Amino acid sequence: MSRETYQIPTPSQTANPGSSSGGGLNPGAQRSPFDADTNTVMQYICGDCGAKCPLRRNELIRCRECGCRVLYKERTKRMVQFEAR
Amino acid sequence: MAPSSGRRQPPSSEDLDERNIVGINKETITNTVSTDYPDNYANEEHAWDKEAFRRSFKVQWHDNQQYEAQFSLIGIDASIANAFRRILIAEIPTLAIDIVYIYNNTSVIQDEVLAHRLGLIPFTGNKKGIQNWLGFWRKPAPGEDSYATTFDSNTVCLKLQAKCTHNKDAPPNSKDPKELYHNAHIYAKDIKFEPLGVQEKHFSGDGVIRPFNPDILVAKLRPGQELEIEIHMHKGFGWDHAKWSPVATASYRLMPTITITKPILGADAEKFADCFMNGVIGLEPVTRKEARSKGSGYEGHEGELKAVVKDPMRDTVSREVLRHPEFEGKVKLGRRRDHFIFSIESTGQWDSDDLFLEAVKTLKKKCQVLRPQVTNMVYTF
Ligand SMILES: [Zn+2]
C-alpha cells in the first residue's frame, strides 16, 4: 500500500482477544478496520472536555466523563514528512 | 579660461576628490556612477592596475565582536564590495533543519507551519566539525531509497518530544499557563541532539549541536496535546533557502561626507548639530587666529561657538539640514563612492570576521573557475 493513502487509525490491540475475522494469528497483517466486530475498541476524543473515550461498535456516541455528544477521531499515527521551508 | 591648447590639464587633487563623491542634494542625487575606467577622461590612464590598487586599498576595523563586525573597505569598486555582500548572504554554507518527520502533533499549530518554524531556528556547534568534517547531503534520485544518501557524515539528527500536562502544584487562582501546565511553551532548547555514528567525536561538550538562542518559542501546548518530531539537519546555501544564510544580514553603506562651506555660529550652530545624529557635529569656540584672518567669515566672533564636523561616519544622511533655509549654501552633503562601511551580523554558526575571510576565499575560487574559461574563449576564436 502506498504511504500516501489514507490509513484509518488502528484500533487498540488489547481489546479484541477473541476476534474471529481479520488477520487472525499473523501479528504483522493489518486488519481492515471495516471488519471491526462489536468487541473492537476505537479511541475517540471528547469535543468538550478532551478526555480519551474508548468506544465499541453500536455503542452510544457519548463522552463518559461529561456527556458531550461530539467525539473526534484521533490523529493518524502515520509519520508525515515535511521539508522545513 | 584660456583657449584650448589641444591638451587638457591633468586633474587637480580637488578634482580627483570631487570625482569620488556622490552629491546629495535636497531632491536629487548626483554623480552616482564610477568614472575610473579607460577612455572616460581624455589623456588619463584608468586601466585597472594591481600595484595601484595595492597602494590605495585600505581596510579599517571599527568593531570586531564575535558575532558582530563593522569595518571599512576603502578604495574598492562597488561591484566587488557588492559581490562580497551577496556571497556573505547566499554562498557560505551553514547547517540548518531541512527535513522534519512528524510522528505526532496535536498542538494547534499546523504541521507545515511547525516544520517551517523549525527550519528557521539558527543552530550552532563545533565550528571545525560543521565547516570541515560535515559534508553535503544529496537528495536521493527517484527510485532510490529515501535514506540511501543519509549518513552520519552529512546529516545531523535531532528530536523534539513533549507532552503538556496539568500541574498539580500550581498556585491557586493562577492564570499563567506556564504555572498551570507542564510544557505549556516549547522552546528551541527542548530540541535535543541525537549523535549518529562518529558524530559524538566531533560534536560533544562545548561543540554539541544546539540552538544558538535557546529561548526561541517554537509552539504552545495545552494539556493533552503532544509533539513527537524527528528532525534531519543538512548543510546548504543561502541561495537555496534563507535559513542557510550565515548572516542576520550583511550590508554596507557609503561613508557620508559633510562639508561646511560658510561659518555656522552661535544658536545656528546648535540647531545645525541637532540636524544630524549625536556626535556627528561638534561645537568649538572660534579661535583668535580665525577671528583675525580676513575673509574667513569669523571676523569679530572670537569665543563664539562654531559648528565643526566631528565624525561623519555616524551620520545617517537624513538630509534634515537641507530643509532649513538658514543653512542654505552653507553645507554640502555627499558620500564617498569608494568607501564601504560593512556591517556583518552572524547568526551564530560562524564568527563574523571569519565570514568575511570566507567570502574573500569564495570570490577567489569563483575567479579561478572563470579564468581558464576566459582564456579558452580567446583560443577558440
Ligand atoms: Zn467529555
Side-chain angles (χ1 to χ4, degrees):
Chain A
M1 188 169 63
S2 161
R3 206 176 56 80
E4 304 303 321
T5 54
Y6 176 68
Q7 287 172 25
I8 296 163
T10 40
S12 45
Q13 298 301 311
T14 50
N16 50 351
S19 163
S20 54
S21 58
L25 290 172
N26 184 355
Q30 275 263 323
R31 265 167 33 83
S32 164
F34 296 112
D35 302 339
D37 55 42
T38 45
N39 286 320
T40 309
V41 175
M42 294 290 290
Q43 291 285 347
Y44 292 87
I45 295 158
C46 172
D48 199 11
C49 71
K52 283 257 169 80
C53 214
L55 276 191
R56 278 159 218 280
R57 196 177 179 185
N58 296 332
E59 213 174 335
L60 188 65
I61 300 171
R62 192 151 199 206
C63 171
R64 283 170 205 178
E65 307 290 329
C66 70
C68 171
R69 290 179 187 277
V70 178
L71 298 182
Y72 292 103
K73 279 193 181 298
E74 279 190 308
R75 185 201 153 106
T76 173
K77 295 281 195 300
R78 173 164 63 92
M79 182 271 283
V80 212
Q81 179 180 337
F82 290 96
E83 280 192 323
R85 47 179 95 190
Chain B
M1 200 181 175
S4 170
S5 63
R7 270 189 88 82
R8 283 173 190 232
Q9 293 299 305
S12 64
S13 71
E14 289 102 72
D15 281 346
L16 287 173
D17 259 4
E18 195 56 40
R19 280 182 193 174
N20 254 338
I21 288 179
V22 177
I24 294 176
N25 315 312
K26 205 169 177 181
E27 275 139 4
T28 54
I29 307 282
T30 55
N31 199 21
T32 55
V33 185
S34 301
T35 52
D36 53 343
Y37 49 85
D39 294 342
N40 191 45
Y41 296 105
N43 305 325
E44 281 180 45
E45 185 64 55
H46 280 293
W48 195 80
D49 178 60
K50 194 165 88 181
E51 281 314 310
F53 175 74
R54 194 185 299 246
R55 259 181 278 119
S56 64
F57 179 64
K58 268 190 294 209
V59 178
Q60 251 172 35
W61 283 89
H62 307 302
D63 183 22
N64 188 11
Q65 291 163 268
Q66 190 174 12
Y67 300 114
E68 184 140 26
Q70 266 204 44
F71 57 89
S72 286
L73 302 183
I74 307 165
I76 197 168
D77 193 70
S79 54
I80 308 295
N82 193 45
F84 285 137
R85 184 189 64 83
R86 292 183 56 162
I87 289 170
L88 281 164
I89 291 169
E91 302 190 36
I92 293 175
T94 61
L95 180 71
I97 291 178
D98 191 23
I99 304 178
V100 178
Y101 301 97
I102 299 186
Y103 289 91
N104 200 3
N105 166 30
T106 47
S107 71
V108 289
I109 184 161
Q110 298 91 330
D111 291 6
E112 293 89 336
V113 180
L114 183 61
H116 178 238
R117 281 178 75 77
L118 287 167
L120 294 173
I121 299 170
F123 278 75
T124 186
N126 181 294
K127 289 195 175 65
K128 278 198 179 117
I130 294 175
Q131 288 161 22
N132 304 330
W133 178 72
L134 210 63
F136 286 89
W137 179 82
R138 157 181 85 77
K139 203 173 186 150
E144 219 176 346
D145 183 75
S146 31
Y147 300 107
T149 57
T150 302
F151 305 106
D152 61 345
S153 59
N154 64 14
T155 303
V156 171
C157 195
L158 307 169
K159 194 134 198 165
L160 172 58
Q161 194 155 21
K163 189 175 163 81
C164 183
T165 51
H166 282 281
N167 180 13
K168 297 276 184 295
D169 308 323
N173 307 325
S174 170
K175 287 194 170 156
D176 182 5
K178 280 197 275 190
E179 288 176 354
L180 286 170
Y181 318 123
H182 298 294
N183 288 329
H185 293 181
I186 305 300
Y187 294 99
K189 60 176 169 253
D190 299 317
I191 303 172
K192 293 289 174 257
F193 170 49
E194 305 230 302
L196 301 164
V198 292
Q199 282 178 3
E200 198 110 44
K201 212 174 77 194
H202 297 276
F203 307 114
S204 56
D206 285 348
V208 75
I209 303 282
R210 62 191 184 277
F212 180 62
N213 184 342
D215 297 322
I216 296 170
L217 185 65
V218 177
K220 291 188 179 185
L221 302 183
R222 285 296 175 268
Q225 300 181 345
E226 56 185 306
L227 291 177
E228 191 184 345
I229 298 169
E230 213 177 284
I231 293 160
H232 283 183
M233 302 180 81
H234 296 135
K235 270 189 15 171
F237 294 97
W239 48 255
D240 191 0
H241 191 287
K243 68 187 174 186
W244 278 303
S245 182
V247 290
T249 228
S251 63
Y252 59 72
R253 62 198 175 100
L254 294 176
M255 178 65 136
T257 61
I258 301 162
T259 322
I260 298 173
T261 50
K262 280 184 197 155
I264 298 168
L265 295 160
D268 266 6
E270 274 171 50
K271 187 175 175 186
F272 185 77
D274 284 342
C275 290
F276 296 89
M277 299 305 286
N278 280 341
V280 175
I281 300 295
L283 298 176
E284 280 174 12
V286 176
T287 60
R288 175 161 298 180
K289 204 175 146 202
E290 281 169 332
R292 282 190 181 167
S293 76
K294 284 238 160 60
S296 67
Y298 292 116
E299 299 100 324
H301 291 291
E302 191 188 330
E304 266 181 68
L305 286 179
K306 60 165 183 170
V308 289
V309 180
K310 268 258 161 68
D311 185 7
M313 200 186 100
R314 300 172 69 111
D315 193 32
T316 56
V317 196
S318 64
R319 291 193 257 185
E320 169 70 12
V321 70
L322 303 178
R323 297 176 64 236
H324 301 281
E326 58 264 52
F327 302 128
E328 218 162 280
K330 290 186 174 178
V331 63
K332 261 170 100 176
L333 299 183
R335 302 196 100 133
R336 216 166 277 284
R337 195 172 30 232
D338 63 347
H339 186 144
F340 295 88
I341 305 165
F342 264 82
S343 151
I344 301 178
E345 191 192 336
S346 166
T347 51
Q349 215 168 94
W350 291 74
D351 289 348
S352 40
D353 50 353
D354 280 349
L355 274 171
F356 182 66
L357 298 182
E358 189 67 20
V360 175
K361 219 195 271 177
T362 308
L363 187 61
K364 205 168 164 183
K365 259 191 243 159
K366 283 167 172 283
C367 295
Q368 281 161 351
V369 171
L370 185 66
R371 198 150 108 165
Q373 289 178 9
V374 173
T375 318
N376 285 342
M377 199 167 72
V378 178
Y379 286 151
T380 338
F381 297 104

